[in-house]
Amino acid sequence: DAPKDRDFVLVIEGTFVERTHHGDPVSKVAFEYVTPKKLSTTTVVALPVAKTDNEIFVGLELRDLPAVQVFTGSSAIWTAPAWRVPRQINNLSQLPLFISEAMKRDFSVQVLKTWELGGPYFCSPGVTPEVVHPFVAEIDAKEISSSELRFVGVKDLRSALSSIRDAHLLIASYRFLH
């Protein structure tokens, strides 16, 4: 049986133009690509951070992803929390509220403050139009024990950078530690 919601994705055709540094077209080609129907091509990554009197902690999400299992033998992977942004959000100034609501809903933590973590990036340039906007989300340290997130000290995160397999977590970690 086919899934009931067969309309999860949209197939879109776009013309891609290569230009010189002056803006003159060099070549162009039409490609079809797939995007989610109800979600945008924008992803937001929010690295949860909690500060105590003694240390700064970073929250990690343990996810099960079938594609990871194909390559590593285990579907478990540590990630930074990330969400596809709904199409209704059409202004970047709306992302902090979206992050706060998602953190409360998905991880039972209250966001105190958010700030951008460097500029946006394409997760797979030339393959998908998805743009990722990384943020830091400072959360109330009193709530970390009731959250499903696993919190690690900044020093432990720094020493484990070479073992991080999730690209969003790695990029956010490097930017945060810098």
Side-chain angles (χ1 to χ4, degrees):
D1 279 329
K4 288 182 183 176
D5 186 8
R6 293 182 209 159
D7 297 325
F8 178 75
V9 296
L10 290 172
V11 177
I12 299 172
E13 183 175 315
T15 301
F16 296 82
V17 180
E18 178 183 12
R19 299 181 184 277
T20 66
H21 67 285
H22 294 294
D24 301 321
V26 175
S27 66
K28 67 179 176 179
V29 64
F31 281 114
E32 286 185 344
Y33 58 93
V34 176
T35 65
K37 187 175 241 181
K38 296 178 183 171
L39 300 172
S40 70
T41 57
T42 300
T43 294
V44 65
V45 172
L47 191 66
V49 174
K51 185 177 179 184
T52 67
D53 290 336
N54 302 322
E55 194 169 357
I56 296 173
F57 293 91
V58 175
L60 306 177
E61 178 185 8
L62 183 61
R63 297 192 68 197
D64 285 309
L65 301 175
V68 173
Q69 186 165 4
V70 169
F71 296 104
T72 67
S74 171
S75 64
I77 184 170
W78 290 104
T79 68
W83 301 269
R84 275 291 177 127
V85 176
R87 287 191 182 272
Q88 304 89 285
I89 294 179
N90 53 21
N91 190 306
L92 295 179
S93 67
Q94 297 170 297
L95 290 179
L97 178 59
F98 175 77
I99 291 167
S100 293
E101 291 170 350
M103 284 288 200
K104 187 69 171 171
R105 178 191 68 229
D106 296 344
F107 302 112
S108 303
V109 293
Q110 180 69 41
V111 174
L112 303 174
K113 180 182 174 184
T114 60
W115 62 95
E116 289 183 64
L117 193 54
Y121 58 91
F122 289 97
C123 66
S124 299
V127 176
T128 174
E130 180 183 4
V131 176
V132 181
H133 292 268
F135 282 80
V136 170
E138 181 182 0
I139 61 166
D140 189 343
K142 293 177 271 190
E143 296 178 341
I144 65 176
S145 62
S146 62
S147 177
E148 290 184 22
L149 294 169
R150 170 76 58 86
F151 287 84
V152 297
V154 168
K155 292 176 187 174
D156 293 330
L157 178 65
R158 185 184 312 273
S159 66
L161 286 172
S162 64
S163 64
I164 294 175
R165 298 180 297 167
D166 176 59
H168 295 319
L169 176 57
L170 190 61
I171 290 168
S173 296
Y174 270 114
R175 289 182 177 189
F176 177 71
L177 293 169
H178 181 66

